[in-house]
Amino acid sequence: LAAKELEQLKQQIEELSLEQAKLFTKFDDLPLTKNTLRGVKESSYITMTDIQRDSIPLALKGHDILGAAKTGSGKTLAFLIPVIEKLVHENWNEFDGVGALIISPTRELAMQIYEVLLKIGKHHSFSAGLVIGGKDYEFEKERIGRMNILIGTPGRLLQHMDQSATLNLTNLQILVLDEADRILDLGFKKTLDDIISNLPPERQSLLFSATQTKSVQDLARLSLVNPEYVNTSSDT
Ligand code: ADP
Ligand code: MG
């Protein structure tokens, strides 16, 4: 993105008021890069879901987010769009290493996120990789150092953090914990704590969950700073 365009985009985001953002209905209304909007449109996404409308503007403005919305409400785009835009805002390029880390409870869910990312991110030049086990560990290890966006399951990620010298997370810009309630249900609390305590603290963090349990709140306290709460789960 040209420096001037990037400055204009950042200015637009800074000037965007949350009152204004509440009235947005389409992805088109958001201050996003043309390349992201193209990817979103070509994937046939036009109108935002509630969780997308409520959390994307906050995330673009750099806030940490604790988001709750039931399954099927569109949480994937609610974090993937801010992830891509964050790297653009930071002028990230292919050679800058891992800028975004997305943690997902299962291999299947991680692969689904990866597929959506490939579609909506196809007009950007970032590289993305899966770290989910099952595949050859050496294969992952060899590629991991070249990735800009990593999507992984907790166990395999921690294994790479412990054993793969090629994995460098010291410049991480944004962390996503997706389906946090399920990650905890699957017994990954200790693994997550170990991963998070080894990440640079100056990052942005987004935590999404279908339910708001006590253990999700504990995790939020450990991983988020002054989070904005976005909850579209209530029936009122
Ligand atoms: P969640 O993670 O909250 O369970 P997903 O992100 O998996 O939900 O999305 C559920 C389904 O809704 C997917 O099939 C996805 O393609 C679709 N979807 C998400 N956002 C939109 C949107 N803005 N417009 C139309 N369909 C959408
Ligand atoms: Mg989901």
Side-chain angles (χ1 to χ4, degrees):
L1 203 61
K4 185 154 163 264
E5 260 179 279
L6 184 57
E7 275 322 303
Q8 280 174 352
L9 184 65
K10 284 182 167 175
Q11 178 105 26
Q12 255 184 301
I13 291 170
E14 208 178 293
E15 287 169 1
L16 174 67
S17 79
L18 297 173
E19 288 300 305
Q20 221 182 327
K22 272 192 196 122
L23 304 173
F24 289 172
T25 55
K26 296 180 159 72
F27 290 103
D28 243 345
D29 298 329
L30 294 166
L32 301 176
T33 52
K34 289 195 187 73
N35 284 343
T36 298
L37 277 174
R38 269 176 75 197
V40 166
K41 268 191 203 157
E42 287 167 12
S43 310
S44 305
Y45 299 119
I46 307 293
T47 307
M48 291 186 279
T49 65
D50 290 352
I51 187 75
Q52 292 161 2
R53 183 202 59 223
D54 291 349
S55 53
I56 295 174
L58 285 166
L60 291 176
K61 279 177 159 295
H63 292 283
D64 278 7
I65 288 180
L66 176 53
K70 61 181 194 292
T71 302
S73 57
K75 295 190 288 296
T76 313
L77 288 182
F79 63 77
L80 280 183
I81 290 175
V83 159
I84 294 172
E85 295 297 287
K86 176 79 174 184
L87 296 187
V88 177
H89 297 167
E90 297 297 328
N91 250 323
W92 212 254
N93 74 50
E94 298 144 86
F95 311 106
D96 284 336
V98 182
L101 177 63
I102 299 167
I103 304 181
S104 166
T106 67
R107 284 161 60 177
E108 290 68 28
L109 286 169
M111 289 191 289
Q112 284 174 24
I113 296 167
Y114 181 71
E115 266 151 37
V116 178
L117 176 62
L118 290 190
K119 284 204 300 180
I120 70 160
K122 88 180 223 214
H123 299 293
H124 289 282
S125 52
F126 303 130
S127 52
L130 282 165
V131 182
I132 54 175
K135 271 200 211 148
D136 184 4
Y137 179 81
E138 291 301 321
F139 173 84
E140 281 185 358
K141 182 171 161 181
E142 187 258 323
R143 291 162 42 95
I144 210 167
R146 301 198 301 265
M147 295 301 157
N148 300 134
I149 302 173
L150 281 183
I151 304 168
T153 49
R156 186 49 88 95
L157 257 172
L158 187 60
Q159 187 186 357
H160 280 291
M161 286 173 79
D162 286 343
Q163 299 171 12
S164 304
T166 46
L167 176 57
N168 179 356
L169 293 169
T170 54
N171 292 321
L172 188 76
Q173 303 296 312
I174 183 164
L175 168 72
V176 177
L177 302 173
D178 185 35
E179 313 269 351
D181 46 355
R182 276 193 74 189
I183 296 180
L184 296 168
D185 286 345
L186 291 170
F188 284 123
K189 179 169 190 334
K190 172 78 169 60
T191 309
L192 261 192
D193 290 354
D194 286 349
I195 292 172
I196 292 167
S197 64
N198 281 295
L199 298 177
E202 314 79 26
R203 62 176 196 268
Q204 184 179 12
S205 305
L206 313 176
L207 187 160
F208 283 93
S209 183
T211 57
Q212 283 288 10
T213 59
K214 167 81 167 54
S215 52
V216 168
Q217 276 153 18
D218 289 343
L219 177 63
R221 263 193 294 280
L222 179 87
S223 55
L224 307 172
V225 178
N226 296 328
E228 294 286 339
Y229 297 87
V230 178
N231 190 332
T232 63
S233 300
S234 68
D235 295 323
T236 53

